Amino acid sequence: MILSVDVHLQYRLSQPTDLLLQIEAADLADQTVRQTHISFSEVENVSRITADDGLGERIWLRADGLFQCDYRADIQINRPVRDLSTLPATPPHQLSGEAVRYLMPSRYCPSDEFQTFVAAEFGHLSGGAQIAAMRDWIERSFQYVPGVSNAQTTAMDSFVQRQGICRDYAHVLVTLARAATIPARFASVYAPGVTPPDFHAVAEVYLDGAWHLVDPTSMATPHDIVRIGIGADAANVAFLNIFGQAEFVAQSVSVQAA
């Protein structure tokens, strides 16, 4: 599958401000960036740095006044997809240092507070079957409601409210997986069919020695997801970090199957 991505961002800055941008699709073995173009309004600085775990890049910018960014890309997805429910868990003592990091609680994913719930609700299962049951439970139990969460909302908040958006759904699945001693991380992605059209968020879980994408909103499947970046939770993979004050002007995200 080939996806065409078109993103437009506009913010008004009252003074010279540092920005950290991460909106470009990562060029990986399972997703090949065939064409790409990114442009900015007048800026003082443009420099690239490696993103978390070396997956993708971030761009440092310094801008003033009306900041505008336009990004377009065509990405071919080459991802083999296995039946999640058949995948065995990797024993903790066999995990790599990179995977161990994603067993631990993080800012938005207090997994240590969910161990009793996970044992009671999903303890009769293991590995991919357990993750599939968690995914189905979230989809069944939660309502997708834009506007009910904010930048401070944690997985515990969403668990109590039983509602949220893709960011919140992903945080809950990541939290439940870690509470079951399965490494899990947050992934910022593009996918067609996301409603409303926007940047999307899913989880990745480590099973049978590899990472596997899981979307608890069921709006996307591993066949049609393009990864932008990954991290312990949303704090690590914001599409734009603004180190100062900014006024939102406009944003659009279009993802189409070519």
Side-chain angles (χ1 to χ4, degrees), residues 30-63:
D30 63 354
Q31 57 182 57
T32 305
V33 179
R34 298 176 52 171
Q35 297 183 60
T36 183
H37 173 78
I38 192 166
S39 61
F40 311 104
S41 54
E42 186 175 348
V43 295
E44 297 179 29
N45 174 80
V46 179
S47 58
R48 291 178 174 272
I49 60 172
T50 303
D52 271 22
D53 286 351
L55 196 154
E57 291 185 327
R58 294 185 173 112
I59 304 175
W60 273 118
L61 303 158
R62 186 166 177 83

Side-chain angles (χ1 to χ4, degrees), residues 201-219:
V202 301
E204 276 196 303
V205 296
Y206 193 81
L207 295 166
D208 197 25
W211 290 102
H212 302 272
L213 292 158
V214 187
D215 184 0
T217 73
S218 290
M219 286 194 284

Side-chain angles (χ1 to χ4, degrees), residues 141-252:
S141 304
F142 282 57
Q143 288 185 302
Y144 197 93
V145 183
V148 299
S149 59
N150 56 41
Q152 283 71 51
T153 301
T154 69
M156 179 62 80
D157 298 324
S158 301
F159 178 82
V160 171
Q161 296 168 0
R162 294 290 203 272
Q163 54 186 271
I165 57 172
C166 60
R167 168 190 184 275
D168 309 305
Y169 278 57
H171 279 156
V172 173
L173 182 54
V174 166
T175 300
L176 298 181
R178 291 179 189 169
T181 322
I182 296 174
R185 63 193 188 186
F186 184 97
S188 172
V189 305
Y190 293 115
V194 172
T195 305
D198 205 342
F199 297 102
H200 194 44
V202 301
E204 276 196 303
V205 296
Y206 193 81
L207 295 166
D208 197 25
W211 290 102
H212 302 272
L213 292 158
V214 187
D215 184 0
T217 73
S218 290
M219 286 194 284
T221 70
H223 298 86
D224 59 9
I225 289 175
V226 169
R227 297 201 293 304
I228 303 168
I230 53 89
D233 54 37
N236 300 123
V237 281
F239 72 88
L240 180 62
N241 286 288
I242 301 172
F243 296 89
Q245 299 299 313
E247 175 190 354
F248 171 82
V249 177
Q251 174 179 308
S252 64

Side-chain angles (χ1 to χ4, degrees), residues 92-105:
H93 68 275
Q94 293 181 9
L95 293 172
S96 66
E98 177 249 352
V100 165
R101 170 190 174 191
Y102 298 109
L103 278 178
M104 309 306 176

